[in-house]
Amino acid sequence: MPAKLIDGKAVAQQIREGIKAEVEQLVASGKEPPGLGVVLVGDDPASRTYVSMKEKACRAAGIYSEEHALPADSSQEKVLGIIEEYNRNPKIHGILVQLPLPDHLDSEQVLLAVRPDKDVDGFHPENVGRLWEGHPRFVPCTPLGILELIHSTGVPLKGKRAVVVGRSNIVGKPTAALLMAEHATITICHSRTADLPGECRSADVLVAAIGRARMIQGDWIKPGALVIDVGINRIAEGEKSRLVGDVDFEAAREVAGYLTPVPGGVGPMTIAMLLRNTLTSARRAQR
Ligand code: NDP
């Protein structure tokens, strides 16, 4: 039987509608709407597109958003100054610094400057530490979305063997932390893993966050496994191009129990979780 597809678009839409209703209630009770402050440096078209999508999603949910778009050659001081403004602005409950920043900027210092209680991306070391310690405040949006998709299947994680391929701070590591917190036994794989196909075959839950088109083969997947494909890779196809994941979708579909498509799987969840983190931050600030 082919794998059941996990419809990230539908799950995300449902979550966004719930957030919109909660924001309406908050505003009706006389509170300020949640607010997101965005910093975009440079003119990378993909970053521009992501920021526009996030702002559009905010508007649709009734979340206030404002943006500082800075030229690519902006100084570190300029960027830090804007973050400081957002840190102090009571209308702003979440701060988003669109990554990657241009090479001349010190990303680590920029992320450190974001107030941890407005760090809706969950990248500040204080929030990273809290996640691993078991007292999360803000969890990065893509891993949170992955967990929601797993929950949407009803498959329990307790005692399961989960393999995460990729150890980035944005996806791999926080996803592993979340899976462990739900009592899965985790393995984190990366470019130096000795037997990647073997590790993958041991997984009841397999998360691929590599950035290599269709790398995970059908015969690397344990029959019936739950497979989450985080990858977004653009490949040429004749004159045109299209997006594919890190998993060979057609082959995986014949083996896996559950599978996320690309696009329409993890992607839409990331924005939904950003909205949720911003709403959560506003609620905490307005308590
Ligand atoms: P990174 O490039 O930061 O990390 C990739 C990871 O994959 C690294 O840990 C790397 O290992 C590992 N890796 C690379 N090549 C191999 C290999 N041959 N074998 C085993 N492991 C390998 O990427 P991100 O974590 O930021 O993103 C991963 C993918 O997810 C990308 O396609 C990205 O576009 C997508 N993505 C999707 C999002 C969404 O909303 N759907 C959000 C964020 C990312 P090592 O550490 O050893 O170098």
Side-chain angles (χ1 to χ4, degrees):
M1 211 171 52
K4 291 195 181 102
L5 295 188
I6 306 174
D7 186 347
K9 222 168 142 184
V11 177
Q13 189 52 36
Q14 208 178 6
I15 290 172
R16 283 170 61 167
E17 278 161 22
I19 292 169
K20 182 171 184 246
E22 280 190 60
V23 172
E24 276 166 8
Q25 270 179 11
L26 197 75
V27 173
S29 72
K31 302 267 172 59
E32 286 278 326
L36 180 72
V38 179
V39 186
L40 173 65
V41 189
D43 35 38
D44 174 52
S47 292
R48 178 73 263 168
T49 305
Y50 288 136
V51 164
S52 303
M53 284 164 67
K54 288 168 188 174
E55 287 172 337
K56 197 169 153 211
C58 280
R59 276 197 300 282
I63 293 177
Y64 167 77
S65 74
E66 61 179 68
E67 176 193 321
H68 275 280
L70 301 174
D73 59 358
S74 300
S75 67
Q76 182 85 3
E77 289 65 39
K78 179 79 188 161
V79 178
L80 293 177
I82 286 162
I83 292 174
E84 198 42 44
E85 265 177 48
Y86 283 149
N87 280 344
R88 293 211 192 113
N89 184 346
K91 277 169 80 172
I92 297 297
H93 305 99
I95 301 172
L96 180 127
V97 181
Q98 184 63 42
L99 299 175
L101 291 170
D103 286 345
H104 70 281
L105 295 174
D106 179 349
S107 301
E108 211 178 309
Q109 194 193 23
V110 169
L111 296 180
L112 258 177
V114 173
R115 248 173 73 166
D117 61 349
K118 292 192 179 187
D119 171 38
V120 285
D121 258 338
F123 296 156
H124 191 288
E126 187 178 313
N127 289 322
V128 175
R130 289 180 71 119
L131 171 63
W132 284 97
E133 186 197 39
H135 299 102
R137 184 202 271 135
F138 288 118
V139 176
C141 301
T142 301
L144 213 48
I146 292 169
L147 204 71
E148 284 286 341
L149 289 182
I150 294 173
H151 287 161
S152 78
T153 65
V155 171
L157 283 168
K158 192 171 165 184
K160 293 283 167 64
R161 188 166 287 279
V163 174
V164 179
V165 189
R167 56 175 162 181
S168 72
N169 291 326
I170 296 175
V171 190
K173 280 189 235 169
T175 300
L178 288 175
L179 292 168
M180 184 168 61
E182 300 235 350
H183 311 298
T185 301
I186 55 165
T187 300
I188 306 178
C189 301
H190 46 76
S191 64
R192 320 295 155 84
T193 295
D195 175 18
L196 187 61
E199 298 292 351
C200 291
R201 272 182 213 116
S202 75
D204 301 308
V205 175
L206 178 62
V207 179
I210 314 164
R212 301 258 185 277
R214 298 175 175 146
M215 188 177 156
I216 307 279
Q217 308 291 301
D219 65 359
W220 296 15
I221 294 170
K222 183 175 181 175
L226 194 165
V227 180
I228 303 283
D229 189 351
V230 190
I232 304 177
N233 310 289
R234 189 164 284 285
I235 57 159
E237 222 174 40
E239 300 274 283
K240 295 188 182 151
S241 70
R242 71 179 179 109
L243 294 181
V244 297
D246 290 342
V247 176
D248 180 344
F249 181 83
E250 297 307 331
R253 205 174 174 178
E254 300 304 316
V255 193
Y258 293 88
L259 176 62
T260 58
V262 176
V266 177
M269 295 300 291
T270 300
I271 291 185
M273 294 300 110
L274 174 70
L275 302 181
R276 179 184 282 170
N277 279 353
T278 306
L279 171 60
T280 303
S281 184
R283 282 199 186 286
R284 287 182 191 144
Q286 293 170 351
R287 260 205 298 259

